[in-house]
Amino acid sequence: MIDKDILQQVKSVFASLNTNIKFVATASDNNSRKDELMAFLTDMVSCSDKLAMESRAVDDDSFGFSILREGEPTGISFRGIPNGHEFTSLLLAILNADGQGKNLPDEALRRRISSLKTPLNLRTYVSLTCTNCPEVVQALNVMALINPGISHEMVDGGLFQDEVSRLNIQGVPAVFVGDEQIHIGRGDLGILLQELEDKVGTEHDAVADIVEHQFDVVVIGGGPAGASAAIYSARKGLNVALVAERVGGQVNETVGIENLISVPKTTGNQLSADLLTHIEQYPIKVFTNRQISSVSLKDKMKRVTAKGGEAFVSPAVIIATGAKWRRLGLNDEDKYIGHGIHFCQHCDGPFYKGKSVAVIGGGNSGMEAAIDLAGICSHVTVFEFADRLCADNVLIEKANSMSNIDIHTNAMTTRIIGDGQRLTGLTVKNRIDEKESDYNFDGVFVQIGLAANSDLFADELELSPRREIPIDATCRTSISGVYAAGDVSTVPYKQIVVAMGEGAKAALSAFEDRMRGII
């Protein structure tokens, strides 16, 4: 069933296995895909003498397999056949169970995972074509391996449509505890761990022993600005820490990038990988999947505290925390996120094949979303608040050439309409005649720009009316030794290439202040 060339590659990957791993398959005899599942697992077992399988007949509609390590449950199971993008999730689950894999967390994160209150039985509904699902599946599999009170099951939503309908799942990846959805959309280990801590709590919320790290420069944020700041600081011979949820930041959610000078075309995932590769060329200490809980910036030695009992102390802090998708700020918005309201057409657009959707926002991201969705949906309606579209002409011309895209300017979304379970439409006001109209939609994709990730610094730094961190021409803030770069700052034009330059500028300013004895 698995391509021979792929099997050969898998054999090479599993050549270093030291642990006995067993697949325990469950499927009823009358399941039409039972033979396919068995063939898949047989092929996998052929890749290493450390792999084995066992088949257990069942009378119910179970279909999938669990993973045992040295005869003991790992807490990891797959309901379905993990082909497509989830094939990597299976490979990593096996390697991780053997103690291998670069995705295994460091001690600070392991401590947080181990302290989650259990039992905790998680399910993630996926599409095998979704590029964002594997990261969520892999992160929760790791948690199951670390904390014996956690179990995690990947569910192929395409095979269990009745269940998907009952749970009203309209986007993937969707993570559930019982029948309660606790996460929807893209996520990584840090984000998911934070959500679980908030949801179920930990055995000891306050960590008595803080692990303190001393550095010459601490960079908060791993996007283009943060990566640039860390690299420029390291090139000056300084001891540098980069503390972030993930390397790449918001770039990870960008699909096509065609305006990064000297790089004609790339993707967000590729650029994020390239940033990490460049960072790894220098002795930069990278702390990813970190959730900053507090900062103290006014003293000579700044202190950045991360959840889980870590503190980063330095005379220089460069804030490069970027921005997040801006919300509409309307009643019931949170209620319908993942149930009709979405922010990523690439992740959730396929759920609206042949249906009618709206895109709110007429900038580049909004028009790109509309064009993408027009190839999937029966009709796309764009609402732009301003009196004209703000997107590049090439995107506007493309959208205007598509017969199933309508565009409304001077349009203000005033109300979200829903039936209590899912969004059913919008109320939109014409800003010229003040007339409100109701529209029926199956889904809405919000693309109204970004909001600075600055709340953490509001008690330390005065923020602009747009809640950005004010900086001067050299990226210095109002506090000596504190610098800001990229989308979190007041620098105009939120672009990747601009953020990279600002990160370099902030690092050079910090180094200059160090040489002059200011910090």
Side-chain angles (χ1 to χ4, degrees):
M1 177 182 173
I2 303 176
D3 181 82
K4 290 182 179 179
D5 290 337
I6 293 176
L7 278 177
Q8 199 59 43
Q9 295 174 35
V10 174
K11 288 179 182 179
S12 176
V13 170
F14 288 161
S16 60
L17 286 180
N18 295 307
T19 306
N20 292 310
I21 305 292
K22 178 184 282 189
F23 307 123
V24 179
T26 54
S28 62
D29 290 335
N30 59 2
N31 190 303
S32 62
R33 301 192 65 181
K34 179 180 179 180
D35 290 344
E36 183 182 353
L37 173 64
M38 296 307 166
F40 176 86
L41 293 177
T42 299
D43 283 349
M44 288 296 299
V45 168
S46 72
C47 294
S48 172
D49 59 6
K50 291 293 183 180
L51 299 177
M53 68 173 288
E54 173 185 337
S55 176
R56 296 178 183 174
V58 292
D59 295 328
D60 57 25
D61 61 353
S62 299
F63 180 75
F65 62 96
S66 59
I67 296 178
L68 304 185
R69 174 177 53 193
E70 298 294 355
E72 297 296 326
T74 61
I76 298 173
S77 59
F78 293 83
R79 186 139 53 101
I81 303 173
N83 282 314
H85 292 294
E86 292 303 335
F87 188 63
T88 301
S89 296
L90 173 59
L91 299 183
L92 270 178
I94 295 168
L95 289 173
N96 291 164
D98 190 50
Q100 302 184 53
K102 289 185 177 181
N103 64 318
L104 291 173
D106 57 34
E107 185 55 39
L109 291 172
R110 295 178 72 91
R111 189 164 61 244
R112 288 174 61 189
I113 293 168
S114 296
S115 68
L116 285 169
K117 289 184 177 178
T118 57
L120 188 55
N121 302 313
L122 304 169
R123 301 189 315 282
T124 301
Y125 292 85
V126 306
S127 165
L128 299 182
T129 61
C130 171
T131 57
N132 290 327
C133 291
E135 188 170 16
V136 171
V137 171
Q138 291 158 22
L140 296 178
N141 283 347
V142 165
M143 291 190 200
L145 288 169
I146 292 172
N147 188 328
I150 298 175
S151 67
H152 176 243
E153 179 182 56
M154 182 220 81
V155 183
D156 179 359
L159 297 182
F160 299 93
Q161 284 296 313
D162 290 345
E163 196 170 324
V164 168
S165 298
R166 178 179 65 80
L167 295 171
N168 194 30
I169 297 173
Q170 297 182 40
V172 290
V175 182
F176 280 75
V177 175
D179 284 349
E180 180 183 2
Q181 180 179 294
I182 62 170
H183 176 87
I184 183 74
R186 190 184 188 104
D188 56 25
L189 181 63
I191 291 171
L192 293 162
L193 178 54
Q194 178 66 51
E195 290 174 343
L196 288 173
E197 287 173 333
D198 294 341
K199 177 66 180 176
V200 304
T202 62
E203 295 297 340
H204 46 86
D205 292 320
V207 179
D209 299 322
I210 298 290
V211 178
E212 189 173 286
H213 308 283
Q214 296 272 352
F215 291 94
D216 296 327
V217 178
V218 171
V219 179
I220 309 176
S228 178
I231 289 169
Y232 264 74
S233 296
R235 285 177 62 85
K236 294 297 184 181
L238 302 180
N239 186 18
V240 183
L242 187 148
V243 185
E245 290 186 1
R246 54 180 172 166
V247 172
Q250 188 79 5
V251 164
N252 286 283
E253 298 177 23
T254 303
V255 177
I257 300 170
E258 299 180 0
N259 57 357
L260 183 58
I261 308 306
S262 85
V263 183
K265 188 171 185 178
T266 187
T267 66
N269 285 337
Q270 184 59 54
L271 179 55
S272 296
D274 291 342
L275 290 175
L276 180 58
T277 297
H278 200 170
I279 289 168
E280 290 175 340
Q281 303 304 305
Y282 297 91
I284 298 168
K285 186 66 174 177
V286 179
F287 299 85
T288 54
N289 296 306
R290 269 20 183 221
Q291 185 79 26
I292 305 300
S293 57
S294 65
V295 295
S296 179
L297 304 175
K298 295 176 181 177
D299 294 335
K300 183 174 179 61
M301 295 301 290
K302 324 301 180 186
R303 189 177 185 89
V304 178
T305 303
K307 193 160 186 176
E310 286 180 291
F312 304 88
V313 180
S314 172
V317 170
I318 299 174
I319 301 170
T321 47
K324 58 182 176 294
W325 293 116
R326 193 180 297 278
R327 302 283 185 89
L328 294 169
L330 299 176
N331 291 337
D332 289 336
E333 182 173 12
D334 289 343
K335 179 178 181 179
Y336 292 118
I337 288 177
H339 299 284
I341 296 178
H342 307 275
F343 300 90
C344 177
Q345 75 274 14
H346 304 288
C347 305
D348 301 326
F351 285 89
Y352 295 92
K353 183 177 181 179
K355 297 183 178 181
S356 177
V357 301
V359 172
I360 302 178
N364 282 345
S365 60
M367 299 314 296
E368 287 172 355
I371 292 166
D372 289 342
L373 290 165
I376 302 172
C377 304
S378 61
H379 196 271
V380 180
T381 304
V382 178
F383 296 109
E384 165 56 42
F385 181 86
D387 59 1
R388 62 183 179 85
L389 298 177
C390 304
D392 294 341
N393 283 336
V394 65
L395 295 174
I396 295 174
E397 292 172 1
K398 175 66 174 177
N400 284 331
S401 73
M402 304 183 79
S403 61
N404 62 337
I405 295 180
D406 284 339
I407 299 173
H408 299 267
T409 55
N410 286 304
M412 178 179 178
T413 306
T414 57
R415 184 168 69 105
I416 294 168
I417 304 171
D419 61 9
Q421 296 295 316
R422 57 183 296 275
L423 173 143
T424 58
L426 297 172
T427 299
V428 181
K429 181 170 71 174
N430 184 311
R431 295 177 56 238
I432 296 176
D433 60 16
E434 299 292 311
K435 180 181 178 181
E436 289 192 328
S437 301
D438 289 343
Y439 295 83
N440 294 324
F441 294 113
D442 297 295
V444 172
F445 292 80
V446 181
Q447 299 285 321
I448 57 174
L450 301 171
N453 291 321
S454 61
D455 290 351
L456 184 66
F457 312 101
D459 292 336
E460 300 286 314
L461 293 162
E462 184 177 344
L463 303 180
S464 74
R466 292 175 58 86
R467 296 193 66 78
E468 297 170 338
I469 298 175
I471 57 171
D472 63 14
T474 60
C475 293
R476 292 177 171 92
T477 70
S478 59
I479 298 178
S480 178
V482 180
Y483 314 83
D487 289 2
V488 73
S489 76
T490 51
V491 66
Y493 313 121
K494 311 304 186 184
Q495 297 289 311
I496 293 171
V497 69
V498 172
M500 288 179 171
E502 291 293 294
K505 192 193 299 181
L508 294 173
S509 295
F511 181 72
E512 182 180 84
D513 288 348
R514 182 184 180 90
M515 292 299 98
R516 293 168 57 195
I518 295 175
I519 60 174

